[in-house]
Amino acid sequence: MSAEILIEPDATGVVQRLALIVEKCANEAIDNEDIFKIGLSGGSLVKFLSEGLPTINTDWSKWRFFFCDERIVSFENGESTYGLYRESLIGNLPITEDQFIKINPDLSAEEAAKDYIKKMSVYFPPDSVPRFDVLLLGMGPDGHTCSLFPNHRLLDETSLWVCPINDSPKPPSSRITLTFPVINNARACIFAATGASKKEMVKRILKDKENLPAARVQPTNGTLYWILDKDAAGGL
């Protein structure tokens, strides 16, 4: 694994750097495989991408958007990550709803996870661990990433691509999430964080190397990027 910690003066710099890295990864993937497979997370990434993606040059028709985790709620619900991206990206970029590989929100978490694996296997060979071109990851105030929370049994999942969770410590309690074998098989995993509120957790992960879920993102054969503004990097 190679890791890059990139520190920008402010949030605008973080958005620009994120867009540049995603653009480079997208165009390499399209050149090599004629498709770009990216996993999205919610939180501040929605805003970063709605600002940054319109600035990049790429063949948008080749993009396929997946979700690193998703809440089992209707797409109209404010907690739906797909709903947030549908609102902020479609119309802003030349992409369609069909390019998003989304959950079926009418299923239970268990059935939605199985269904999502089926939908993913259209794009990834079923007999090997999926290799995403880019996973855009968030980091919660407790150090969680995707819906992989500290001390949760899902941290140790080794065989399933996608797992249900019905006891999320952060509401809504029912979700699906990618697992570490898939996350750490990505070509690039990217965290982007801004603001002093992230400083302590960034320090605990990058400097103190605490065994938190976000610290366990270590792509075995890819690159890990942390894109931080000065405030978020203040403890390093």
Side-chain angles (χ1 to χ4, degrees), residues 129-130 154-161 178-186 220:
V129 179
L154 284 187
L155 297 179
D156 301 318
E157 176 60 48
T158 56
S159 56
L160 290 172
W161 296 358
L178 296 181
T179 57
F180 277 120
V182 175
I183 295 167
N184 285 331
N185 200 41
T220 38

Side-chain angles (χ1 to χ4, degrees), residues 186-227:
R187 288 193 172 89
C189 290
I190 307 175
F191 288 95
T194 59
S197 65
K198 297 283 189 183
K199 179 173 95 169
E200 178 61 22
M201 190 48 71
V202 166
K203 175 182 172 285
R204 286 171 62 185
I205 290 165
L206 293 180
K207 192 174 178 186
D208 307 338
K209 310 274 193 244
E210 276 188 46
N211 185 24
L212 291 157
R216 292 168 70 163
V217 176
Q218 296 176 357
T220 38
N221 201 7
T223 306
L224 172 63
Y225 296 94
W226 281 82
I227 311 172

Side-chain angles (χ1 to χ4, degrees), residues 23-108:
E23 178 180 42
K24 179 173 175 282
C25 293
N27 294 340
E28 279 173 9
I30 291 164
D31 286 346
N32 293 332
E33 295 182 1
D34 208 38
I35 186 171
F36 173 56
K37 294 172 282 205
I38 183 170
L40 304 173
S41 300
S44 47
L45 275 164
V46 181
K47 182 173 180 289
F48 295 164
L49 294 176
S50 66
E51 290 173 11
L53 290 185
T55 67
I56 75 180
N57 289 312
T58 186
D59 180 349
W60 288 106
S61 69
K62 308 286 191 194
W63 285 49
R64 293 297 177 275
F65 300 90
F66 297 78
F67 292 92
C68 298
D69 66 330
E70 179 59 289
R71 293 85 178 261
I72 310 292
V73 293
S74 88
F75 297 149
E76 278 61 48
N77 185 308
E79 295 283 0
S80 165
T81 304
Y82 167 61
L84 294 172
Y85 279 107
R86 180 173 66 179
E87 210 168 280
S88 67
L89 294 187
I90 294 176
N92 216 350
L93 297 173
I95 56 172
T96 65
E97 292 197 22
D98 297 347
Q99 287 170 255
F100 288 83
I101 289 74
K102 23 193 194 294
I103 65 161
N104 179 341
D106 300 326
L107 300 174
S108 66

